[in-house]
Amino acid sequence: MDHMRKRNHKEVNPKNNYYDKFYIINYLELGKRWLDVLKEDFEDTMPTFVDSDEEEEEESWQEWQEDNIDVEQTRVVCLFCEETEDHAAPLLEHMKDVHYFDILGIIEKEKLDFYERVKMINYIRKENYNARCFVCGRDDLGSLQKLRQHYTENDHLSKGLPEKSVWCTEENLVPIFGNDHLTWMLESYVDEKEVSSQNEEGTAVFENIREYLLKQSEVNSVEGVIAEDFPELHDGVLTDLNLYDSLK
């Protein structure tokens, strides 16, 4: 034992065939020692190990790419100049304040649905790219600079869109630029505003009901009887606008 400890002998010599008869693994296949069996098993599982490593490496690379996306790739560009923003809200304000083109106002006024909003953006992009006025159709300006000057001198952008038949076509469902983020960013922003508006409307309805109940409580109060404090209600059933309308 002292010899084994000093020599760091912690296992049986694998090359010594004398001990093979004591291990079941040597009886799995006739004519093969346990070293041969282990070698075959390892070779059979190698492709699995390689595939697993490649998959993990690919997943890690994809995660790295997602975490390190260039900010410039997701910036949204103004319809009428080179101004860019990370989000739709500040860019919409820019177009309204600088170019006097109120996209949200147009959407609300014209009651544009999702596809019509896409067509509107793609139509304006295409006309600007071709240096053609999307409002009056003038096509002899020749450059983007002259087109912008034309917009300013004629106050075209504040006039909104031309007739719907001009721009609301199937052709304008296809964007002229493959990486135009304004379309989906605008939709996300519109959805957020709709949800926020519904929440505010629900809160207003709840407050009206609360005021009504308080007044009714005052009318029906009995002298000498002290009413309990009106409980604070949150997320009441009457904040459901559909249910509230059905009860009218």
Side-chain angles (χ1 to χ4, degrees), residues 112-120 167-168 172-173 187:
L112 302 182
D113 61 22
F114 167 74
Y115 294 104
E116 290 171 337
R117 294 193 287 265
V118 171
K119 292 175 183 178
M120 172 187 66
W167 58 269
C168 192
N172 290 323
L173 281 174
E187 290 311 306

Side-chain angles (χ1 to χ4, degrees), residues 55-153:
E55 290 175 359
E56 290 180 2
E57 184 176 351
E58 184 176 354
E59 290 177 359
S60 299
W61 170 248
Q62 290 176 349
E63 292 175 358
W64 184 89
Q65 282 184 315
E66 292 174 357
D67 293 338
N68 293 274
I69 293 177
D70 188 353
V71 176
E72 294 295 331
Q73 293 180 357
T74 57
R75 291 182 70 84
V76 58
V77 184
C78 175
L79 288 171
F80 309 107
C81 68
E82 290 78 18
E83 181 73 16
T84 63
E85 294 287 350
D86 292 331
H87 305 285
L91 190 71
L92 295 176
E93 287 296 322
H94 161 80
M95 285 190 277
K96 180 180 178 180
D97 297 338
V98 177
H99 304 293
Y100 307 106
F101 189 75
D102 185 5
I103 289 184
L104 296 179
I106 292 173
I107 291 174
E108 184 176 356
K109 178 182 177 182
E110 302 292 338
K111 307 297 182 185
L112 302 182
D113 61 22
F114 167 74
Y115 294 104
E116 290 171 337
R117 294 193 287 265
V118 171
K119 292 175 183 178
M120 172 187 66
I121 292 174
N122 291 337
Y123 169 73
I124 296 174
R125 290 278 195 216
K126 181 181 68 175
E127 297 302 285
N128 288 341
Y129 178 78
N130 294 319
R132 184 168 51 229
C133 178
F134 76 91
V135 179
C136 68
R138 182 174 175 179
D139 58 359
D140 60 347
L141 298 168
S143 68
L144 186 57
Q145 287 73 21
K146 290 184 178 180
L147 176 62
R148 291 172 180 170
Q149 184 179 355
H150 170 77
Y151 284 148
T152 303
E153 292 176 351

